[in-house]
Amino acid sequence: MRKSFILLLVLAGQQTLYAQKIPSIVGPGKAINPYRYSIVKKADYRNASVSSAHPLASMVGAAIMKKGGNAFDAAIATQLALAVVYPGAGNIGGGGFLLGRKTNGELIGIDYREAAPEKAGRDMYLDKNGNVQLTLSQNGHLASGIPGTVAGLFATMPYAKLPFAQLIQPAIDLAEKGFAITEREASGLNASKASFIKYSTRPGAFVKETGWKTGDTLVQKELAATLKRIQKDGAMGFYGGTTAQLIVEEMQRGNGIISIDDLKNYTAKLRNPIGFDYRGYRIVSFAPPSSGGILIAQMLKMIEKYPVKDYGFQTAKSVQLMVEAERRAYADRAEHLGDPDFYKVPVHTLISENYLQQRMSDYTPDRAGSSAGVRAGVIRESEETTHLSIVDAAGNMVAVTTTLNGGYGSHTVVAGAGFIMNNEMDDFSAKPGVPNMYGAIGGEANAIIPGKRMLSSMTPTLVLKNNKPYVVIGTPGGTTIPTSVFQGIVNIIDFGMSADDAVNKPKFHHQWYPDEVALEKDFNPDVKKQLQAMGYKLTERGAIGRTEAIRLLPNGKRETIADKRGDDAVAGF
Ligand code: GLY
């Protein structure tokens, strides 16, 4: 008894010693000054490139590579930093997908999507008249799936080089000592103040009585303590012990249903990526439970036989063709896609040449199709997901898309643990044919079942040229994610654009229903008129996506681009 007590003391001592040995890279005068930083939108780096939604997170990823880490180390550290500096979408209370390619060509797909709790059920969001109560799937305690991010980070560790304790330290420092918030963050937190108060029993650090201003310091002591528990106890620092207890207590205070067993039993899963050829390039993307890989495969293969390059960038002709491919792919999404562990997704057929040729057989140039006439083949929200793209010196490529779903997720802060829970349950089909917050509809394939993972649109994607790394790309944006990635790839491959133009040119989006083309406001007005003349209903919407892309150039440099649409920033060396 006495011996084990002494051993515990020794181990605790070692832990403290080890923690003390990690030199901090965050602080005034250090590699990353959290109170004074700038947003760099593009750069050509030779050794290490990171593009993410926040400059401090990108700098953390680059600094980790400078200290000997590879792209997987950087992906872990960047995600943890985002969980602190970008609380609207960076997370430990959500989930995501990591797609990686090692220099030996090995592909890695890690699925850490949230899962429905044991007490969830198909009709859990229906009232007694059978009407969906979307507010319950979108806000507050009942909206959360079992978080997957921390399991995903540990599932990435076998590919990393540095100890986890080192990778999480910058996030701990940023949470404990705080960082200066951007104008966009200040306004996001202020806009969500009422929701945090309504849907949390103790909103903690995120609510400031007098309102947030640009440059204010956001300190998250409770989150720092949670991150330290993860640093000390690994995944069980989140899925067990104090953190699990705090999550369950928070759930119980607000009629949530996540239990200790749900947390204990959650695991990340390895998935075989979706791979296909497009005009001689190899495209690799994420498999179900994301719809993303299948959708971009379908859209690209549907347009491949057309001379898109000759049609020209965003002419009425090329936009119409791409819109009709989008319409057909999203019809299939609604019918055929869901968690493959619960529903047989006909992956092979959905991306086969024959099937896709047949899907386009009723395509009529110069005339708008109709979603009423397009069924699945026979066999919207505030869009605060976030994406990061990384390439290291050796050429390892990592694309991660991770999410709380809506901006600041369910707006439920776990009291005492300092992080925000996801509202990912809304990505299930709460009732066949009823649109979720993205306007997406679904059916049996995406019905709620305990343990099942809700269908996602996240599309972390890699492109190979002559079997060598060429592009890492991905974006947030709910159902617009696959169409943004689709257009990014077409912009680079068909229109020969730089990654900068491919990311920052205006985007458009069609998702079968609603039967309309959404356009960013800087979209060419003449082309708009031509599309209207063909019979398309057009709508204008704010930013479509916030794409982070890295393109490897023949001169050995990496064109590293952060989307102009947010605080997104690049870092590297
Ligand atoms: N919550 C957004 C997505 O997974 O598609």
Side-chain angles (χ1 to χ4, degrees), residues 253-499:
R253 283 193 294 272
N255 296 323
I257 54 175
I258 296 176
S259 69
I260 289 282
D261 279 347
D262 285 328
L263 293 164
K264 193 178 76 195
N265 295 332
Y266 182 88
T267 52
K269 298 184 180 183
L270 292 176
R271 302 277 183 198
N272 284 329
I274 299 283
F276 59 97
D277 294 324
Y278 177 68
R279 300 197 200 279
Y281 293 78
R282 185 78 185 156
I283 317 284
V284 184
S285 191
F286 217 91
S290 181
S291 60
I294 289 183
L295 287 184
I296 62 163
Q298 291 196 305
M299 294 184 290
L300 288 166
K301 298 305 276 183
M302 279 191 244
I303 68 164
E304 193 176 25
K305 72 170 187 180
Y306 298 88
V308 176
K309 183 178 172 188
D310 297 343
Y311 291 176
F313 171 69
Q314 282 183 8
T315 58
K317 213 172 168 68
S318 66
V319 173
Q320 193 222 351
L321 173 70
M322 292 169 76
V323 161
E324 292 302 329
E326 292 175 3
R327 184 200 304 279
R328 286 160 178 77
Y330 277 80
D332 277 353
R333 179 193 197 275
E335 177 73 19
H336 294 304
L337 299 190
D339 181 345
D341 295 340
F342 287 79
Y343 186 86
K344 197 165 165 16
V345 179
V347 176
H348 185 71
T349 307
L350 286 171
I351 62 173
S352 71
E353 301 265 358
N354 278 349
Y355 175 76
L356 294 168
Q357 296 299 328
Q358 191 192 314
R359 293 292 280 144
M360 285 299 269
S361 59
D362 58 351
Y363 164 66
T364 316
D366 304 327
R367 213 178 65 223
S370 149
S371 291
V374 171
R375 293 277 148 212
V378 279
I379 40 159
R380 250 161 249 211
E381 77 193 287
S382 57
E383 295 149 347
E384 296 302 333
T385 296
T386 189
H387 178 83
L388 47 124
S389 291
I390 303 181
V391 179
D392 64 21
N396 293 298
M397 314 161 83
V398 178
V400 176
T401 316
T402 177
T403 185
L404 289 170
N405 199 19
Y408 304 101
S410 62
H411 290 99
T412 297
V413 179
V414 178
F419 63 88
I420 300 168
M421 291 294 286
N422 68 83
N423 57 344
E424 219 72 59
M425 290 297 283
D426 192 63
D427 270 350
F428 277 119
S429 174
K431 184 177 177 180
V434 175
N436 69 2
M437 71 161 85
Y438 298 100
I441 46 186
E444 189 56 35
N446 193 30
I448 305 172
I449 300 176
K452 186 174 174 184
R453 298 178 184 210
M454 54 296 283
L455 184 62
S456 172
S457 298
M458 294 189 284
T459 314
T461 298
L462 311 175
V463 181
L464 306 176
K465 185 177 182 178
N466 302 323
N467 211 27
K468 296 219 166 55
Y470 184 44
V471 173
V472 183
I473 189 165
T475 181
T479 47
T480 69
I481 294 173
T483 51
S484 283
V485 174
F486 169 49
Q487 289 164 56
I489 292 173
V490 170
N491 287 349
I492 290 174
I493 294 181
D494 291 82
F495 300 124
M497 282 184 193
S498 64

Side-chain angles (χ1 to χ4, degrees), residues 196-217:
F196 282 133
I197 292 169
K198 183 166 176 189
Y199 297 114
S200 302
T201 53
R202 216 177 75 208
F206 301 109
V207 168
K208 188 176 179 192
E209 228 20 76
T210 50
W212 293 97
K213 295 187 308 299
T214 311
D216 280 353
T217 301

